[in-house]
Amino acid sequence: MRIDAKKRILIIEDEPHIAEGLKLNLSLEGYEAEIAGDGGSAIRKWKSWRPDLIVLDIMLPVIDGLSVLRSIRLEDDRLPVLILSAKSNIEDKIKGLSYGVDDYLAKPFHLEEFLLRVGRLLTRASWSSEKRKEEYISASESNQIVIFGSNRVDFETSVAHCKCGEIHLTEQEVKLLKLFISNRGKPLSRSRLLEIGWGYTGETATRTVDNFIVRFRKYFEDDPKNPVYFKSLRSVGYVFDY
Ligand code: CA
């Protein structure tokens, strides 16, 4: 728990004049605001600074806003996110909402409306965090350790125990394992896995995903050639089940 009462807001926006304008106005309202101009620095800033709310632009260079959001949602499904986007078409809006966006504002917008929505999201978040505190603690504790077959994965320490002994999982292995576990029994495409694990999309380097699966099978399958947990789905990708 932080001692300072000022709420922290991370502005993820690549257009400096918009970002600086929002930062100034949020500061005038009594918030502490920081800017990240691209997806990579946004994720780093989110991890180190732990904001109370994120203002997110969709059109960002290299890693787009929705990919940034998905990386964040893997670890935090409660942080309020307000999308700012020039894309006002309904498809993007639905996509955003399905990725866990809490509110959506199309550019250009009125500053007053922006500030109202920020205030409302923060109020709602603190209200629900009080309400959920107890169940959250027990839920997060029970989700830290996942056991399948003779494997045991501890997400708090990123250590897995399997037939090979003790393995210290890399950050990407942890991300992909969490994705597989939270989508138990559901097919995951290579491009989805690539996007989550590495933050980019496209047809390139899907072999990278395959190499990870080879590694997971070596760690966790009794017979890596006949996988039980990490199964291939022809022309789709992979499915994890236990
Ligand atoms: Ca932009």
Side-chain angles (χ1 to χ4, degrees):
M1 186 76 81
R2 288 200 307 271
I3 299 157
D4 58 314
K6 275 193 178 181
K7 293 282 186 191
R8 297 176 172 188
I9 299 175
L10 177 59
I11 304 160
I12 306 173
E13 166 66 79
D14 62 321
E15 286 158 74
H17 67 284
I18 297 180
E20 289 296 342
L22 294 179
K23 184 181 175 179
L24 175 69
N25 281 285
L26 289 169
S27 310
L28 290 173
E29 289 288 306
Y31 300 115
E32 205 180 326
E34 290 278 329
I35 297 168
D38 63 80
S41 62
I43 290 170
R44 282 193 298 278
K45 190 81 197 167
W46 162 67
K47 282 191 176 161
S48 62
W49 196 52
R50 293 289 162 186
D52 298 294
L53 180 140
I54 282 182
V55 175
L56 179 65
D57 178 33
I58 290 188
M59 300 292 279
L60 293 171
V62 194
I63 305 176
D64 70 272
L66 289 178
S67 299
V68 171
L69 176 61
R70 270 188 276 178
S71 298
I72 292 173
R73 280 286 178 255
L74 278 182
E75 290 181 43
D76 188 338
D77 59 356
R78 285 160 208 266
L79 177 68
V81 175
L82 170 61
I83 287 272
L84 296 182
S85 179
K87 290 180 170 181
S88 57
N89 73 61
I90 191 78
E91 244 173 67
D92 282 309
K93 193 166 173 175
I94 291 168
K95 211 170 163 189
L97 292 171
S98 73
Y99 292 163
V101 169
D102 299 283
D103 207 352
Y104 195 100
L105 204 50
K107 290 178 186 171
F109 52 84
H110 290 286
L111 187 61
E112 282 301 306
E113 188 181 1
F114 168 75
L115 292 172
L116 274 174
R117 286 179 189 235
V118 164
R120 203 183 60 186
L121 283 173
L122 284 170
T123 310
R124 208 169 68 189
S126 62
W127 172 77
S128 70
S129 81
E130 280 304 313
K131 204 178 120 208
R132 285 177 180 154
K133 205 166 270 172
E134 278 175 33
E135 62 176 284
Y136 181 64
I137 291 165
S138 57
S140 65
E141 273 171 1
S142 61
N143 285 338
Q144 296 295 355
I145 293 167
V146 175
I147 295 167
F148 55 99
S150 55
N151 306 294
R152 183 178 187 278
V153 182
D154 185 339
F155 284 111
E156 187 155 35
T157 54
S158 300
V159 171
H161 290 270
C162 59
K163 65 176 197 300
C164 317
E166 187 177 287
I167 292 166
H168 291 265
L169 300 166
T170 66
E171 200 179 323
Q172 271 164 344
E173 288 173 337
V174 166
K175 272 192 203 172
L176 292 181
L177 265 180
K178 279 186 178 171
L179 181 69
F180 273 117
I181 288 165
S182 61
N183 288 278
R184 184 179 165 182
K186 290 182 210 155
L188 292 166
S189 66
R190 284 184 181 78
S191 60
R192 176 91 199 278
L193 290 163
L194 200 60
E195 210 178 332
I196 298 288
W198 292 266
Y200 57 86
T201 54
E203 291 308 304
T204 52
T206 48
R207 279 297 300 169
T208 321
V209 173
D210 298 338
N211 291 336
F212 258 77
I213 301 296
V214 168
R215 213 185 305 168
F216 281 165
R217 285 175 177 162
K218 213 169 70 192
Y219 295 163
F220 302 121
E221 299 283 359
D222 290 334
D223 177 6
K225 287 202 169 66
N226 293 298
V228 174
Y229 307 115
F230 296 90
K231 286 182 185 152
S232 303
L233 289 178
R234 201 177 294 273
S235 80
V236 176
Y238 296 97
V239 63
F240 171 80
D241 212 349
Y242 63 93

